[in-house]
Amino acid sequence: MESSDIQRIAQLAKLAFDPATDAHYAQELTRILKLVEQMSAVDTQAVEPMAHPLHLTQRLRPDLCTEADQRERLQQLAPLAHDGLYLVPRVIE
Amino acid sequence: MQWESVIGLEIHTQLATVSKIFSGAATTFGAAPNTQACAIDLGLPGVLPVLNVAAVRCAVRFGHAIGAEIAPRSVFARKNYFYPDLPKGYQISQYELPIVGRGQIEIILDQGEVKTIGITRAHLEEDAGKSLHDDQLGTDGGSYSGIDLNRAGTPLLEIVSEPDLRSPQEAVAYARTIHQLVRWIGISDGNMQEGSFRVDANISLRLRGETRLGTRAEIKNINSFRFLQKALEFEIERQQEILEDGGEVVQETRLYDAALDETRSMRSKEEANDYRYFPDPDLLPVELDAAFITETIADLPELPATMRQRFCDHYGLSAHDAGLLTSDHHSATYFEQVATEINDAKLAANWINGALAAALNKAGLELTASPVDAQQLAGLLKRIQDGSLSGKLAKQVFEAMFNGEGDADTVIAARGLEQMTDSAAIEQLIDSILAANPQQVAQYRAGKDKLFGFFVGQVMKQTQGKANPQQVNECLQAKLNA
């Protein structure tokens, strides 16, 4: 991981990052990736896949409309919206 | 060369819930853009999806209806891909442990032949949003696509068939059967115009007798039975040409263009997405106990296949009539009401599949909106049974009833349409007709049998068709052959 990777990820995730912290995050993320590499080396052939770390089951919600329309508020978060639609760079030619 | 097509369908059916699968936002069709897309549907940080019990019940009902095992434990997974109408960057779906396991369904082919089609699995998932590609979007002259996320998070059941279908006709029959079933058991409105029932078709060709599968193409997002038929027909021809020229079919996703009646490549396997499925850490495994399942299927109606068989066995209907009457639950109920009321299933079936179906079709109405209800139709048919109306007059009365002129007895009285059954009056009339046409009587007696129809015609003409045909026949026979 290098500083340029951090800036690229930040841009894709629409996160504002202080360039001064790039090196720090690059180091942290590299350590995490190393941990993942380490885990990849473990033989899991005989291990049953885990769906969730907690031994709990999903609670079910009654089929009720509980969310009111908050379009105006939510669209303030979007870079571009018009006529109620979120606008993105044109997807097809 | 003799090619065989091998087809499997993936059907996405929207479930009949009032709220989304993981949020409390509404699912009403046609709302203004993004007014039904809440923070959870938008995938904002910190939100938590919670599963809608009604969606689970829909899946359980379907599973039971196809004789499948309902998984005691199923798991939601994230299917990762990037597209602007998928705000989280992943779709919550089920992968390794779907809620509905292997089942099967019977389809009826044109010649009345029954074929059993395997269903591999059915799983719950959320729908994505909708992209609009319109030139007029935005105010700065830029080139944009508009995103409406109202549909995002709408509950879907994806029903995956085995590659058991061997022709476009079989594929359409299967899709229709599933469409009928999901509406029948009340888990989806099946509205294809509104996208509540969409089909992806996998199709490959192989030489007849070959057991290995050929390379398949997948045709995405077909929203009508007619397009399904045409897309598959086009694809069979396309693949056949490639194979007969010694080429190889490329595994790819294709789109059907109805305007050009052709399929075209959308993306090939090389660019196909690796969805990187993994269990969704926001959702715990779903565990269903026997009590929940029993309670969910308790009010399932008699299924269409069972009912169709019963209509043949119990009422003596033809497979064709029984099939038409069980095409949806309303027709079946309507039929049973009429048949029970008049105690003549065949008469009821003939009228429902005949005059009533034709009138509804002409008026562009569904049976639920029929101006003539089951009780009223039974009232009309009783007047045929007791001889008050001939079949021909009954049709006239039916038309009047359909046009809102009241029930059968009201129409009969208002129009003076009672059948003439007074045998003395009929005999008198026949005597006068025979007396007025001595030449024809002589010709008939000399062997010109065809003239019998002439006499019947005269009687009907003079009674405006009201004379009871059977009585007229009997009386004429007796007089002419005396």
Side-chain angles (χ1 to χ4, degrees), chain A residues 61 63 66 71 84 86 90, chain B residues 19-20 33-34 51 143 147:
Chain A
R61 175 179 64 79
D63 183 24
T66 50
R71 185 176 78 182
Y86 293 95
R90 198 168 172 90
Chain B
S19 67
K20 304 250 172 108
N34 293 307
L51 184 58
S143 192
I147 308 294

Side-chain angles (χ1 to χ4, degrees), chain B residues 100-307:
Chain B
V100 175
R102 206 182 155 78
Q104 59 182 49
I105 197 161
E106 285 183 351
I107 62 171
I108 299 190
L109 305 173
D110 284 346
Q111 287 74 33
E113 186 199 338
V114 175
K115 182 171 177 181
T116 301
I117 305 300
I119 293 175
T120 317
R121 58 184 282 168
H123 61 257
L124 285 167
E125 63 182 24
E126 59 177 348
D127 206 347
K130 203 167 97 183
S131 306
L132 294 130
H133 311 291
D134 186 326
D135 289 333
Q136 307 303 319
L137 293 168
T139 50
D140 60 0
S143 192
Y144 296 109
S145 288
I147 308 294
D148 177 3
L149 295 170
N150 280 350
R151 195 180 258 291
T154 298
L156 302 177
L157 187 67
E158 178 173 336
I159 302 156
V160 183
S161 87
E162 290 287 297
D164 286 348
L165 304 157
R166 291 289 172 273
S167 67
Q169 291 73 22
E170 287 189 15
V172 170
Y174 166 77
R176 282 189 185 280
T177 307
I178 294 290
H179 186 250
Q180 170 199 34
L181 181 64
V182 297
R183 296 174 67 207
W184 190 283
I185 61 175
I187 66 164
S188 174
D189 65 14
N191 190 321
M192 298 180 90
Q193 282 80 40
E194 295 178 2
S196 299
F197 194 86
R198 317 192 292 265
V199 180
D200 298 344
N202 285 294
I203 173 165
S204 63
L205 298 192
R206 65 181 172 194
L207 285 174
R208 227 166 265 284
E210 173 65 71
T211 49
R212 280 172 310 169
L213 292 169
T215 307
R216 65 168 200 262
E218 180 178 16
I219 314 168
K220 280 268 185 204
N221 250 331
I222 307 166
N223 65 355
S224 94
F225 297 121
R226 198 167 62 90
F227 291 166
L228 175 60
Q229 168 111 17
K230 299 189 100 176
L232 288 171
E233 281 169 357
F234 177 88
E235 196 53 27
I236 288 170
E237 213 169 295
R238 187 187 72 88
Q239 292 188 15
Q240 191 173 329
E241 266 176 40
I242 293 173
L243 294 169
E244 287 181 354
D245 287 348
E248 279 182 27
V249 172
V250 182
Q251 184 174 335
E252 62 183 352
T253 304
R254 300 177 70 85
L255 273 185
Y256 176 67
D257 184 329
L260 299 173
D261 186 24
E262 62 176 31
T263 65
R264 59 168 179 267
S265 183
M266 203 174 138
R267 54 173 183 258
S268 68
K269 197 193 174 189
E270 285 85 317
E271 340 162 18
N273 294 299
D274 169 7
Y275 292 121
R276 296 175 292 123
Y277 280 100
F278 63 88
D280 191 326
D282 285 345
L283 288 152
L284 292 152
V286 180
E287 289 189 6
L288 304 176
D289 58 26
F292 178 89
I293 293 172
T294 308
E295 178 196 327
T296 302
I297 60 176
D299 65 339
L300 268 181
E302 182 181 11
L303 296 174
T306 320
M307 204 179 233

Side-chain angles (χ1 to χ4, degrees), chain A residues 19-80:
Chain A
T21 61
D22 282 359
H24 169 69
Y25 282 111
Q27 209 179 6
E28 293 262 292
L29 284 173
T30 303
R31 278 177 54 206
I32 292 170
L33 290 176
K34 279 198 175 135
L35 177 67
V36 174
E37 264 171 33
Q38 208 182 330
M39 289 195 293
S40 294
V42 179
D43 181 7
T44 55
Q45 282 291 321
V47 181
E48 197 188 327
M50 180 180 71
H52 204 278
L54 303 178
H55 290 284
L56 295 170
T57 58
Q58 179 63 33
R59 271 184 54 197
L60 301 177
R61 175 179 64 79
D63 183 24
L64 298 170
C65 287
T66 50
E67 297 285 339
D69 171 22
Q70 298 204 60
R71 185 176 78 182
E72 297 315 314
R73 281 186 65 202
L74 291 169
Q75 292 201 332
Q76 284 169 18
L77 296 168
L80 264 179

Side-chain angles (χ1 to χ4, degrees), chain B residues 26-48:
Chain B
T27 55
T28 318
F29 181 80
N34 293 307
T35 53
Q36 293 179 167
C38 70
I40 295 170
D41 307 326
L42 262 48
L44 294 187
V47 299
L48 191 68

